[in-house]
């Protein structure tokens, strides 16, 4: 686990580049912490990586449906 934001960012960027080399279309998505907290509270979920991923997936699905 990265100890600093800079370490995490470097690891995440390297992983994104690696996955893109395999043909995946990946994008960084900013997550509003307050929105995530409210989203989790509505669903009675803990605020964690899985919840963050699900929130982003929901947002991307809605954007795709809106066209």
């Amino acid at each position: 686990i990265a100890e600093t934001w800079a370490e995490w960012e470097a690891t995440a960027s390297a992983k994104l580049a690696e996955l893109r080399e395999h043909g995946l279309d990946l994008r960084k998505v900013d997550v509003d912490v307050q929105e995530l907290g409210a989203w989790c509270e509505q669903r009675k979920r803990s605020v964690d990586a899985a919840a963050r991923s699900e929130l982003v997936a929901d947002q991307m699905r809605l954007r795709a449906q809106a066209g």
Side-chain angles (χ1 to χ4, degrees):
I1 296 175
E3 292 188 24
T4 67
W5 168 255
E7 289 175 8
W8 179 88
E9 177 70 14
T11 301
S13 292
K15 191 62 168 177
L16 282 172
E18 177 186 330
L19 292 171
R20 284 180 178 136
E21 287 177 8
H22 292 285
L24 295 174
D25 180 21
L26 303 173
R27 297 166 196 183
K28 291 183 181 182
V29 177
D30 291 327
V31 175
D32 181 292
V33 175
Q34 291 180 338
E35 181 181 1
L36 175 60
W39 187 89
C40 288
E41 188 174 317
Q42 288 175 337
R43 289 158 179 79
K44 299 185 180 4
R45 292 189 59 159
S46 298
V47 177
D48 57 19
R52 185 180 62 237
S53 294
E54 190 174 330
L55 169 65
V56 170
D58 285 352
Q59 291 173 336
M60 295 299 101
R61 205 172 5 265
L62 289 173
R63 286 183 192 172
Q65 289 171 355

